[in-house]
Amino acid sequence: MSASQTSSSDVPADVPTLLVKIFGKDRPGITAGLFDTLAAYSVDVVDIEQVVTRGRMVLCALVTEPPPGLEGDLRSTVHSWAESMKMQAEIISGLGDNRPRGLGRSLVTVLGHPLTAEATAAIAARITKTGGNIDRIFRLAKYPVTAVEFAVSGVETEPLRTALVTDAARLGIDVAVVAAGLYRRAQRLVVMDVDSTLIQDEVIELFAAHAGCEDKVAEVTAAAMRGELDFEQSLHARVALLEGLDASVVDKVRSEVRLTPGARTLIRTLKRLGYQVGVVSGGFTQVTDDLKERLGLDFAHANTLEIVDGRLTGKVTGEIVDRAGKARLLRRFAAEAGVPLSQTVAIGDGANDLDMLNAAGLGVAFNAKPVVREAAHAAVNFPFLDTVLYLLGVTREEVEAADILDIG
């Protein structure tokens, strides 16, 4: 589906207008032909909307009433023209412009694989129950997921988000709700977690595999997940198990890192759009610095494994990047990029990312644990990182255009 819309200055509510609707098989010249036909009757254009779905067009034009005595001729001429184009026409008399939109405007992005009629009906019904009105629906993508955007008015963003997120989990779809406005396109900094977000792996586990201590590292990780250790304690405990490992293993681990599907597409498209992109990680600079260079990232920060005489000492150096540290780094990156915090996007999967997700203008939980999904502004539960682009209003066509430019 594709759509376009425009509107002229306000028309008084008591001014007679005509809604001219043309529908049928899409072909070049329909829009120009309709307005050439209407031009002969000195009407002004109040609003236009055009939608094309699987080759079938619906074109609506709201125009002022023609001079006295000409409406009948206009109707006859438009119907004759439509018939000549093998289209159908409908003309409805009324007064004024569209009714004003209610206060509160939001954009609701729905992701499904597939997107079922049941889920779509439930989302539409929930919007209505919250007091919202659907002003427009637009498909953003059909691959690798179906992504549809609803423009909603009449209800504030936060209560709408709360209502829809609950339904999304039950329906097996992802829903993101953001306030409408220019700021959405102005979000110019995206910061991601690394392990299990930008990459498919947990870097500490890759190192542990070379040290032969995977089970012990897993035990410490499990203890941290049970709340028996905080992140810093668990980090020190796991890194201590790497003591004595030859530093040459760093290159091996770098080669073993697997990017999440869609990661390169996400970053390439964001950079083409003028965004700045960074990563923060509870992992290690020995990997994030390499990712920064390979992917052309603007910012990267992580913990650093201490290496002395060609071997890992089992310690980390510098400031520990923990849950609070990730949020601090998001603020630091935003300040360095000259971007207001409200225009930042953070992406992560674990509890360690919660402060960062909450601090950002848009926090996205990516294949995250339930507690993270519930706390984030939006959630994506599909294994493709580039689906985050749809939450920013970027269409699949724009993604593919960025790919073509990159190849060129």
Side-chain angles (χ1 to χ4, degrees), residues 16-29:
T17 52
L18 298 175
L19 175 60
V20 181
K21 185 165 101 172
I22 304 296
F23 48 99
K25 185 177 180 181
D26 185 29
R27 60 175 62 84

Side-chain angles (χ1 to χ4, degrees), residues 192 198 263-271 277 295 297:
M192 289 175 276
L198 178 64
R264 287 187 183 277
T265 299
L266 171 68
I267 294 169
R268 179 170 60 243
T269 305
L270 290 172
K271 298 293 288 182
V277 185
L295 299 174
L297 302 174

Side-chain angles (χ1 to χ4, degrees), residues 100-128:
R101 290 186 178 133
L103 296 176
R105 295 178 58 204
S106 303
L107 296 171
V108 178
T109 305
V110 180
L111 307 179
H113 186 61
L115 180 59
T116 65
E118 177 190 6
T120 306
I123 292 298
R126 179 62 67 181
I127 290 171
T128 300

Side-chain angles (χ1 to χ4, degrees), residues 186-191 271 274-279 297-300 328-345:
Q187 289 168 328
R188 310 301 287 183
L189 173 65
V190 176
V191 176
K271 298 293 288 182
Y275 283 58
Q276 296 187 61
V277 185
V279 294
L297 302 174
D298 300 285
F299 304 98
R328 286 196 300 271
L329 287 164
L330 172 69
R331 293 186 177 94
R332 184 191 306 175
F333 293 167
E336 292 177 12
V339 173
L341 202 59
S342 62
Q343 294 179 2
T344 62
V345 179

